[in-house]
């Protein structure tokens, strides 16, 4: 979790025009539980298929977090500016999240 908190803080501080960056971890019921993040307080639990992470808005990127071949959550990055993120931003965040998940491995998976 400490590595996830540092990852979120890194993205939050290094990408311009970002006002939230963090993890939501998948629970057995399919809900997303708030994980380590940087930014303003956020909803602690997002019901399956609901909330902004369920349908990314025009000012947000949501990247699947896959650990050892299993989706365990998402990495979410928000901006106050509509259309802030480009395809290049999305591809870059996908590469960063993939490198992070390969480095941390299964311990990031939420308790069942």
């Amino acid at each position: 979790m400490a590595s996830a908190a540092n990852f979120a803080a890194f993205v939050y501080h290094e990408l311009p025009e970002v006002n939230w960056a963090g993890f939501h971890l998948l629970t057995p019921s399919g809900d997303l539980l708030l994980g380590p993040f940087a930014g303003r307080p956020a909803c602690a639990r997002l019901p399956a298929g609901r909330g902004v992470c369920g349908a990314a808005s025009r000012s947000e990127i949501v990247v699947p977090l896959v650990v050892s071949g299993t989706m365990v959550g998402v990495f979410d990055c928000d901006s106050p500016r509509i259309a802030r993120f480009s395809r290049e931003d999305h591809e870059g965040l996908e590469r960063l999240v993939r490198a992070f998940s390969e480095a941390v491995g299964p311990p990031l998976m939420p308790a069942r």
Side-chain angles (χ1 to χ4, degrees):
M1 285 297 161
S3 294
N6 279 327
F7 182 89
F10 171 79
V11 171
Y12 179 80
H13 288 285
E14 294 300 318
L15 284 181
E17 297 183 274
V18 166
N19 61 359
W20 201 91
F23 293 91
H24 297 279
L25 303 176
L26 196 60
T27 66
S29 68
D31 292 350
L32 290 171
L33 184 63
L34 182 63
F37 70 94
R40 296 184 59 88
C43 296
R45 183 178 293 267
L46 300 172
R50 296 193 49 208
V52 177
C53 272
S57 69
R58 294 179 294 161
S59 59
E60 176 177 33
I61 291 179
V62 179
V63 177
L65 177 62
V66 179
V67 176
S68 300
T70 301
M71 184 172 159
V72 298
V74 297
F75 184 76
D76 178 11
C77 195
D78 301 341
S79 172
R81 181 168 64 88
I82 292 177
R84 153 63 183 90
F85 300 107
S86 66
R87 179 181 298 273
E88 185 177 81
D89 290 324
H90 191 262
E91 291 169 355
L93 277 173
E94 283 181 331
R95 284 192 302 273
L96 281 173
V97 170
R98 186 171 37 254
F100 171 79
S101 67
E102 290 170 358
V104 300
L108 184 63
M109 296 175 71
R112 299 268 173 199

